[in-house]
Amino acid sequence: MKRLFIQIIAAAATLQAAAQSETPVYLDPNAPVEERVQDALSRMTLHEKVQILHAQSKFSSAGVPRLGIRQLNYSDGPHGVREEIEWNSWSPARWTNDSCVAFPSLTCLAATWNRDLSTLYGDAVSEEFAYRGKDVMLGPGTTIARMPLNGRAFEYMGEDPYLAGEMAVPYIKAAQANGVACCLKHFALNNQEVGRMTVNVNVSERALREIYLPAFEKCVKEGGLWTIMGSYNRWLGKHCCHNDSLLNGILKREWGFDGAVVSDWGGTHDTWESATGGLDIEMGTGTDGKTTDKGLGYNTYYLADPFEQMVREGKVPMAVLNDKAARVLRTIFRTAMNPRKVIGSQCSEAHYEACQRIGEEGMVLLRNEGATLPIDAAKYGHILVVGDNAVRNMSAGGGSSELKTKRDISPLEGLRAAFGDKVDFARGYYAGRALYAKADKLDPDSLRRLRDEALEKAKQADLIIFIGGLNKNGHEDCENSDRKSFSLSYGQNELIEALAKVQKNIVVVTFGGNAYATPWINDVKALMHCWYLGSMSGKTLAAALTGEVNPSGKLPVTFGKRQQDYPCFQYGEEGYPGVGGQVYYKEGIYVGYRWFGTKGVEPQFPFGFGLSYTTFKYGKPRLSTSSLTADGKLTLTVSVTNTGKRAGKETVQLYIGDEKASVDRPRKELKGFEKVELQPGETKDVSFEITPGALQFWSDKTHSWTAEPGRFKAYVCASETDVRGTATFSLD
């Protein structure tokens, strides 16, 4: 009996050891992701596969509890992690530990033209997402700035697809290295907020391929993107969140995207199209995507019970369900069940430092007459700061990218820290609380008193620093509405002109995610555009105005003189905002500087423009060879010298033009850039590699990229209009 008992104990131990050694592959953190996906898929029921394809709360989608597969947690970005909201409503959860660092807007990041800062940004912001338990960050955005009124332009990276792609890829790589998926927005053609839920975009195949898709393609192929968000609008008559031609045809088959397509919140409209049109995760259905909850159960979503019924009835092949489930599992194993996902941190000093570094290089000095900047405090006894944005919380408002911050340094606080009791303040105008501008405006008498106070104090000032621009109210820089005018709102133009008549020493500082008219430009000494600088706004601005930092930002968008100077406004309402639910991109490939530079329209400030407190001299461009073969490359090198008296950074820009082509082409297009730091008197060589890919255009005839043999000209520039040297070469 004793021997039998020992044998039973030994057998039990053997079975236990065997069970422990047979850990399912999907739970083995060291197994390749694809093996984990296929193993998990083989163990899941049909219902469980469907369950992971749709939301289970406002910002999460289900895992498989029976198998220990975790859910996915999402949060809005891309400038910081959004405050927690309730499980099943849009109301704030009112946590006390969900404050974050607000990082500069993506337009500010693009204006740095610095890929290393993009890496820094992606690393820092994703650490905050990871710390809060988020798996998917809804951002960044590479939607092209087709026109200057787009309410969400501040979330994107400008008007040029090459710049947008180059600046987004390092961000994505850094964030995903931390185990947080980037969900690139908004795919595709979401270039306006007016009518965004229904408008159908009519665009040529060539413009689609050359302007609106390349940045997305680069993020997929070079960035290794894990998730992507469909846009609200339609293309080819189909909503982009379940558009077979866009999602299956281009994204998945042509580009080889192996991740998950996530719907924008409220962007799904049909079960059959969702099943067959490439959507993988459905979020936000039953709401308008922003403010209301109709109380629909998550099981009624298009990719929930209705989809499961279609599969069970054989109307949708099981292979379609398996493909969707595999893409979601792939995302889960890359993020929520990734053993190398970082713990992260929140509101660390390193993150505030990153915020300031990015902002310092993103601010763009647009005017500096008489070297008014940097400000020499010894020259001025009384400095008057005027403007609502001097004391405004720029993290509030804006829509889904609104942030709850732990600390914010306002511009006024930063300037008072720099100049002490020399600084006085007058609001001058008032824009109301964020998102509530219409209901919260002061009465006309109160607004008049603010203006009169500023003008009266201006009489005693030796220097005026006007801090205005755009904000994140509705019809400014805000989701779900576009700007109503290219001009600054709230009477700012008139106030600046009135102040200039009282005091000639005026420095204008503007915030905002887009271009605007500057009718007063010749009446002011200096203009600094800051985009949105995040939590460290005041300290960042003060560093630039005092000269502690030398501005080095360059515009990622063209500043026109008038709204009508932009191409989309040449075609009436058909060009924007559309007629009868249809908008027509009749300008084709001529977006931004391609229009201004080729059509001879003089901008106020060109694409790529930005001044410095020092000066730079360019040498003559040198080519490694004068001809390029179809499978070869050549190198262009140019020397750059700092000819001023202080250290600075210069962005050297390479544009290429086709001297003779069979199709109409822009005069020149951006194909390279490098940012170089130089000490006074220092010279460095900057080199660019040119391949046939940089010479291509999209052929509507062959439906493919084409590089025609012939002569090409390389332009080495300090901005799109500031050509410092040229070199010609041929493609054989």
Side-chain angles (χ1 to χ4, degrees):
M1 178 66 73
K2 183 176 181 181
R3 177 178 294 179
L4 178 61
F5 179 73
I6 293 173
Q7 290 175 339
I8 292 172
I9 294 296
T14 301
L15 288 172
Q16 183 178 8
Q20 290 176 343
S21 66
E22 293 177 2
T23 302
V25 173
Y26 73 90
L27 289 178
D28 181 359
N30 297 312
V33 167
E34 208 54 39
E35 290 184 17
R36 298 176 72 187
V37 168
Q38 295 305 318
D39 182 50
L41 204 60
S42 69
R43 299 169 188 268
M44 292 167 64
T45 66
L46 187 155
H47 181 67
E48 287 170 340
K49 293 174 184 177
V50 173
Q51 284 290 94
I52 66 174
L53 306 184
H54 61 84
Q56 63 172 3
S57 73
K58 292 297 183 190
F59 278 91
S60 71
S61 58
V64 188
R66 180 181 68 86
L67 298 177
I69 296 175
R70 297 178 184 174
Q71 66 185 36
L72 286 172
N73 297 318
Y74 308 75
S75 185
D76 277 311
H79 309 128
V81 56
R82 185 177 182 172
E83 73 173 314
E84 294 298 322
I85 66 168
E86 293 180 347
W87 182 259
N88 193 36
S89 82
W90 291 102
S91 300
R94 303 194 183 284
W95 288 13
T96 58
N97 62 346
D98 59 345
S99 297
C100 70
V101 173
F103 291 87
S105 63
L106 289 190
T107 45
C108 186
L109 175 62
T112 69
W113 295 61
N114 187 330
R115 298 175 182 86
D116 291 339
L117 289 184
S118 178
T119 297
L120 175 67
Y121 197 131
D123 178 62
V125 73
S126 63
E127 286 185 338
E128 302 227 344
F129 276 77
Y131 186 80
R132 288 269 297 280
K134 308 304 179 185
D135 305 303
V136 181
M137 171 171 54
L138 305 180
T142 54
T143 297
I144 295 299
R146 175 183 179 244
M147 59 99 187
L149 306 183
N150 187 352
R152 300 192 79 171
F154 70 100
E155 297 185 45
Y156 306 138
M157 297 196 185
E159 68 188 32
D160 183 75
Y162 179 82
L163 175 64
E166 287 291 305
M167 292 302 296
V169 165
Y171 178 118
I172 291 167
K173 285 183 174 180
Q176 294 186 166
N178 286 336
V180 175
C182 286
C183 192
L184 189 64
K185 301 192 296 188
H186 293 94
F187 193 61
L189 300 167
N190 182 196
N191 307 106
Q192 63 188 65
E193 290 297 285
V194 173
R196 65 174 180 162
M197 304 295 290
T198 57
V199 69
N200 183 61
V201 177
N202 296 271
V203 60
S204 71
E205 180 184 356
R206 185 179 173 199
L208 179 74
R209 293 292 188 158
E210 291 191 18
I211 304 297
Y212 299 105
L213 292 187
F216 288 102
E217 182 177 6
K218 182 168 288 188
C219 291
V220 170
K221 292 183 175 180
E222 297 181 21
L225 184 69
W226 289 346
T227 62
I228 193 168
M229 181 183 288
S231 58
Y232 286 129
N233 53 280
R234 303 172 191 253
W235 174 57
L236 301 178
K238 301 291 185 181
H239 284 280
C240 289
C241 281
H242 35 71
N243 188 307
D244 177 65
S245 298
L246 181 68
L247 302 180
N248 289 325
I250 295 174
L251 176 66
K252 293 180 177 179
R253 288 195 291 270
E254 184 179 326
W255 295 352
F257 177 67
D258 70 351
V261 176
V262 182
S263 76
D264 205 340
W265 271 236
T268 312
H269 303 274
D270 182 85
T271 296
W272 174 256
E273 289 188 6
S274 299
T276 60
L279 180 64
D280 301 310
I281 302 176
E282 177 187 0
M283 301 297 295
T285 301
T287 77
D288 65 1
K290 188 174 175 64
T291 57
T292 61
D293 179 8
K294 298 178 181 177
L296 296 176
Y298 295 103
N299 65 302
T300 65
Y301 275 26
Y302 296 105
L303 280 184
D305 290 355
F307 177 53
E308 182 173 341
Q309 183 177 350
M310 279 188 167
V311 176
R312 291 190 182 279
E313 293 175 353
K315 295 178 181 178
V316 176
M318 192 68 185
V320 172
L321 172 58
N322 284 337
D323 178 69
K324 293 181 188 296
R327 291 174 181 275
V328 178
L329 288 170
R330 209 169 282 131
T331 305
I332 293 172
F333 294 141
R334 286 168 168 170
T335 60
M337 296 179 70
N338 180 350
R340 288 170 289 280
K341 182 176 181 178
V342 300
I343 295 174
S345 59
Q346 184 172 265
C347 297
S348 68
E349 288 306 311
H351 292 175
Y352 286 111
E353 180 183 342
C355 173
Q356 185 169 348
R357 283 186 59 194
I358 295 161
E360 286 173 350
E361 288 201 26
M363 289 182 289
V364 185
L365 180 60
L366 295 173
R367 180 176 172 87
N368 193 20
E369 292 301 302
T372 301
L373 296 179
I375 296 170
D376 182 356
K379 292 173 58 177
Y380 306 105
H382 184 191
I383 299 174
L384 176 65
V385 175
V386 179
D388 188 63
N389 281 356
V391 292
R392 190 177 191 84
N393 179 2
M394 293 295 183
S395 299
S400 61
S401 64
E402 181 172 24
L403 297 174
K404 174 183 173 182
T405 51
K406 185 175 183 180
R407 75 175 192 233
D408 282 290
I409 302 174
S410 73
L412 182 60
E413 290 173 322
L415 294 175
R416 280 181 168 159
F419 300 120
D421 57 10
K422 290 185 176 185
V423 174
D424 193 9
F425 174 66
R427 197 159 200 151
Y429 73 96
Y430 181 58
R433 291 175 294 174
L435 291 180
Y436 297 99
K438 290 183 179 179
D440 196 48
K441 281 187 177 179
L442 295 182
D443 63 87
D445 289 339
S446 298
L447 294 174
R448 192 177 303 110
R449 283 195 294 271
L450 289 176
R451 174 187 169 93
D452 291 345
E453 178 195 21
L455 292 174
E456 187 63 31
K457 286 188 174 184
K459 296 176 182 178
Q460 311 302 319
D462 300 312
L463 174 69
I464 296 174
I465 303 176
F466 181 88
I467 302 180
L470 308 178
N471 59 39
K472 294 183 180 178
N473 283 342
H475 299 294
E476 292 281 302
D477 281 330
C478 187
E479 180 182 3
N480 203 29
S481 64
D482 287 336
R483 295 165 60 196
K484 292 184 176 181
S485 169
F486 188 54
S487 296
L488 297 179
S489 301
Y490 316 112
Q492 291 181 75
N493 288 341
E494 295 78 9
L495 179 56
I496 293 171
E497 290 169 353
L499 289 169
K501 293 178 181 178
V502 178
Q503 172 54 260
K504 297 299 182 184
N505 291 323
I506 298 183
V507 173
V508 174
V509 174
T510 54
F511 289 83
N514 222 322
Y516 54 87
T518 57
W520 34 259
I521 191 64
N522 294 322
D523 297 327
V524 303
K525 292 294 183 67
L527 172 59
M528 181 84 76
H529 187 57
C530 299
W531 316 104
Y532 294 107
L533 296 175
S535 292
M536 300 297 285
S537 291
K539 190 172 181 180
T540 306
L541 176 61
L545 295 186
T546 61
E548 178 184 339
V549 167
N550 189 347
S552 62
K554 301 274 190 173
L555 290 178
V557 293
T558 302
F559 273 51
K561 292 182 177 180
R562 306 173 306 145
Q563 179 174 314
Q564 284 304 119
D565 289 343
Y566 290 86
C568 63
F569 298 112
Q570 311 300 310
Y571 307 101
E573 291 187 357
E574 286 191 341
Y576 173 81
V579 176
Q582 305 285 334
V583 64
Y584 299 88
Y585 289 17
K586 293 185 177 181
E587 71 279 4
I589 60 173
Y590 290 101
V591 175
Y593 72 85
R594 288 170 171 81
W595 168 268
F596 285 84
T598 306
K599 305 300 182 181
V601 181
E602 183 181 3
Q604 185 68 65
F605 300 109
F607 176 83
F609 176 78
L611 300 174
S612 171
Y613 295 154
T614 189
T615 54
F616 301 96
K617 180 181 179 181
Y618 289 57
K620 185 177 180 180
R622 310 183 300 274
L623 292 174
S624 59
T625 179
S626 61
S627 62
L628 181 63
T629 60
D631 57 352
K633 61 183 179 182
L634 61 82
T635 302
L636 182 147
T637 303
V638 62
S639 61
V640 184
T641 303
N642 183 345
T643 54
K645 297 181 179 180
R646 59 178 297 160
K649 296 179 181 180
E650 172 71 338
T651 299
V652 183
Q653 301 160 41
L654 173 68
Y655 298 79
I656 294 179
D658 193 339
E659 295 287 87
K660 185 178 181 181
S662 63
V663 297
D664 193 24
R665 302 195 70 177
R667 179 168 174 261
K668 59 180 181 293
E669 297 177 277
L670 182 71
K671 296 298 180 180
F673 64 88
E674 293 294 335
K675 195 164 193 176
V676 58
E677 183 173 11
L678 297 166
Q679 297 299 315
E682 185 180 10
T683 299
K684 288 184 179 178
D685 281 347
V686 176
S687 295
F688 300 97
E689 185 178 276
I690 301 174
T691 65
L695 314 180
Q696 294 177 334
F697 63 89
W698 183 267
S699 171
D700 289 330
K701 295 180 179 179
T702 64
H703 307 288
S704 63
W705 290 101
T706 300
E708 293 179 335
R711 300 290 292 175
F712 293 83
K713 181 179 288 188
Y715 300 81
V716 176
C717 302
S719 77
E720 193 272 331
T721 61
D722 187 0
V723 179
R724 299 297 182 93
T726 63
T728 58
F729 62 93
S730 63
L731 175 65
D732 297 333

